[in-house]
Amino acid sequence: MARRTGDELRVAVLGLGEAGGRIASDLVALDVGVSGWDIDPGRAVTGVEAARSAADAVRGAGVVLSLNAPDAAEAAARDCVDGLAAGAVFADLNSAHPRVKVAVAEVVGRAGALATDVALLAPVPRRGIGTPALASGPGAKAFAERLGPLGMPVEVVGTEPGDAAVRKLLRSVVMKGLAAAVLESLRAGRAAGCEEWLREEIAATLAAADASLVARLEDGSRRHAARRVLEMEAACDVLRELGVEPRVAGATAAVLEALEEEARIS
């Protein structure tokens, strides 16, 4: 990790849990002055100046990074607003609904801060400050200019708070849906005594994926919906026989049934 150069930058990190703590630690390693605050006083990061409150943490900070639970994002913004400086970049990195991002922007905007909706696209504990991100809102460009040189790949995707959040959540339909499908499949594989074979099959399929996969999945599902409904209904029956509730498999069958109905009436 390269050490930063240029003008001094002070960053406040609100939330020193797994994600916030990792980013704060990386910033310290880059010789960035970091202040931090967490509702749990037991959370501390070496080199981070512990503040007595959220408002104290953000005083004098050019960039504020909010990494809290989605349902605590707006409260975190309200708690620090008295310490925010006009022109500071307030970046909400929480995986929250776009309307939460808008509410946060309204809160910090009243203090003259530049609200930024940031969507992180990879697990932070693994990538730290190098986690790729989307940014939108009044402070998106400034966020990219200040965090980019520190190693965070930032793509500005819109001018409104919530623009980045929408893209992240739409992507989550696939990423978290894929995880749910893998979990359900492996649970059934374990019950059937073929978990290791199934694990290898899944890994090989993912390893062979290329840029054309999305088109193949979309086109194949539409063209073969009727046959695949029967296949997934059989899969659901097998899972039930193995004692596994087919939540993902059942939802998949329902989606294919809808595609079959669309084709019938079109």
Side-chain angles (χ1 to χ4, degrees), residues 3 11 40 54 70 72 88 113 167 173 182 185 191 209 255 259:
R3 302 183 81 80
V11 177
D40 180 355
R167 295 191 182 206
V173 174
V182 168
S185 182
V255 169
L259 290 176

Side-chain angles (χ1 to χ4, degrees), residues 8-168:
E8 291 303 317
L9 174 67
R10 184 166 184 81
V11 177
V13 179
L14 305 179
L16 296 172
E18 193 175 40
R22 171 61 197 273
I23 289 178
S25 180
D26 284 356
L27 290 170
V28 169
L30 290 166
D31 290 336
V32 176
V34 184
S35 57
W37 182 84
D38 194 285
I39 193 170
D40 180 355
R43 287 177 176 166
V45 176
T46 302
V48 173
E49 180 184 335
R52 294 172 296 176
S53 67
D56 284 342
V58 304
R59 285 193 176 91
V63 175
V64 178
L65 306 179
S66 176
L67 295 114
N68 301 278
D71 58 359
E74 189 175 352
R78 287 196 303 267
D79 289 345
C80 77
V81 73
D82 288 344
L84 278 175
V89 173
F90 184 97
D92 186 310
L93 286 74
N94 304 295
S95 297
H97 191 283
R99 63 172 167 263
V100 174
K101 301 286 188 167
V102 171
V104 167
E106 290 173 351
V107 170
V108 301
R110 289 193 288 270
L114 300 174
T116 311
D117 165 18
V118 177
L120 298 171
L121 301 181
V124 176
R126 180 160 51 91
R127 303 285 289 271
I129 195 67
T131 305
L134 306 178
S136 67
K141 185 173 182 292
F143 178 83
E145 290 172 347
R146 297 180 193 185
L147 272 293
L150 300 177
M152 179 174 280
V154 181
E155 179 185 358
V156 177
V157 296
T159 59
E160 299 298 325
D163 288 349
V166 167
R167 295 191 182 206
K168 164 75 178 280

Side-chain angles (χ1 to χ4, degrees), residues 166-181 248:
V166 167
R167 295 191 182 206
K168 164 75 178 280
L169 294 174
L170 295 180
R171 181 177 180 270
S172 293
V173 174
V174 173
M175 300 308 293
K176 274 55 177 185
L178 176 61
V248 178

Side-chain angles (χ1 to χ4, degrees), residues 15-16 18 21 33 42 109 112 115 164 170 174 184 192 199-200 202 223 228:
L16 296 172
E18 193 175 40
L170 295 180
V174 173
E184 184 169 293
R199 187 180 297 273
E200 291 174 3
I202 294 169
R223 287 193 295 113
R228 292 183 181 183

